[in-house]
Amino acid sequence: IEINPFLLGTMAGGAADCSFWERNLGMQCRMYELRNRKRITVAAASKLLANTMNSYRGYGLSMGTMVTGWDETGPQLYYVDDDGTRLKGTYFSVGSGSTYAYGVLDTYYRPDLTVDEAIDLGKRAIYHATHRDAYSGGINNLYHVTKDGWKVVHAIDVNDMHYEFEEEKKAATKS
């Protein structure tokens, strides 16, 4: 979910909860910018979302999200859930397919990945999460976040990715 030109959020849990509260976060971030005449940090934005979730704890919300972006301190990534839990990290996987994605991330992640390697890793992790898990979404939306904001890398149907990876697998076994 595009929160603002420098912040993104992911969806896991109830689509309506994620969509509403991350759009609400976008409004809170804009209010911050108008009041303070500067862009909100990723840490502050994730804290706003965590505080909002904490105030609605016990109301039956279903949301686990990652909030990412780039601010004056560089790239940042936070996990926030419907209980108000907030964690900073290098990488996360959230949702029912997350164990499949973690299998890929834990195996292939290195801190020195090139942009192309990181994009491929993200693509494969999301593919494995969505292909093996019946409750995960069917579109792989991938973004690249830089100091100039985020840009869309692709939005691909996971079924199309399945056939692409299947061909890759067949080619690898032939050689």
Side-chain angles (χ1 to χ4, degrees):
I1 296 175
E2 300 163 358
I3 297 169
N4 71 26
F6 294 90
L7 291 170
L8 293 168
T10 62
M11 290 178 57
D17 289 342
C18 294
S19 182
F20 177 82
W21 291 111
E22 289 182 36
R23 292 184 199 293
N24 177 271
L25 175 62
M27 187 242 352
Q28 291 184 61
C29 291
R30 182 65 179 137
M31 294 298 293
Y32 177 93
E33 290 175 10
L34 291 170
R35 287 183 183 125
N36 298 286
R37 296 191 173 99
K38 67 178 183 173
R39 197 169 76 217
I40 193 167
T41 64
V42 182
S46 67
K47 187 66 173 176
L48 284 174
L49 183 59
N51 287 345
T52 301
M53 291 300 97
N54 190 50
S55 68
Y56 283 92
R57 183 183 288 183
Y59 280 71
L61 297 178
S62 175
M63 187 186 87
T65 187
M66 293 177 281
V67 176
T68 189
W70 197 294
D71 56 34
E72 65 271 1
T73 63
Q76 307 291 319
L77 178 65
Y78 289 86
Y79 164 82
V80 179
D81 69 16
D82 51 43
D83 286 334
T85 301
R86 177 177 164 264
L87 305 169
K88 182 177 180 170
T90 305
Y91 65 86
F92 293 105
S93 181
V94 182
S96 57
S98 65
T99 54
Y100 302 106
Y102 269 129
V104 173
L105 293 170
D106 288 342
T107 302
Y108 298 106
Y109 173 78
R110 312 182 318 267
D112 64 339
L113 290 171
T114 66
V115 170
D116 288 337
E117 289 172 330
I119 288 170
D120 186 61
L121 178 60
K123 181 178 173 181
R124 289 175 188 277
I126 295 168
Y127 163 74
H128 283 284
T130 56
H131 177 67
R132 296 285 180 201
D133 179 64
Y135 301 104
S136 293
I139 301 294
N140 178 324
N141 295 306
L142 199 61
Y143 293 78
H144 180 214
V145 179
T146 68
K147 64 180 172 56
D148 298 319
W150 52 260
K151 68 175 184 171
V152 177
V153 173
H154 70 232
I156 300 176
D157 188 304
V158 175
N159 290 326
D160 295 337
M161 290 173 58
H162 175 72
Y163 295 111
E164 174 189 332
F165 290 146
E166 199 60 34
E167 289 298 318
E168 188 179 289
K169 190 175 172 182
K170 285 179 187 173
T173 56
K174 286 182 183 178
S175 45

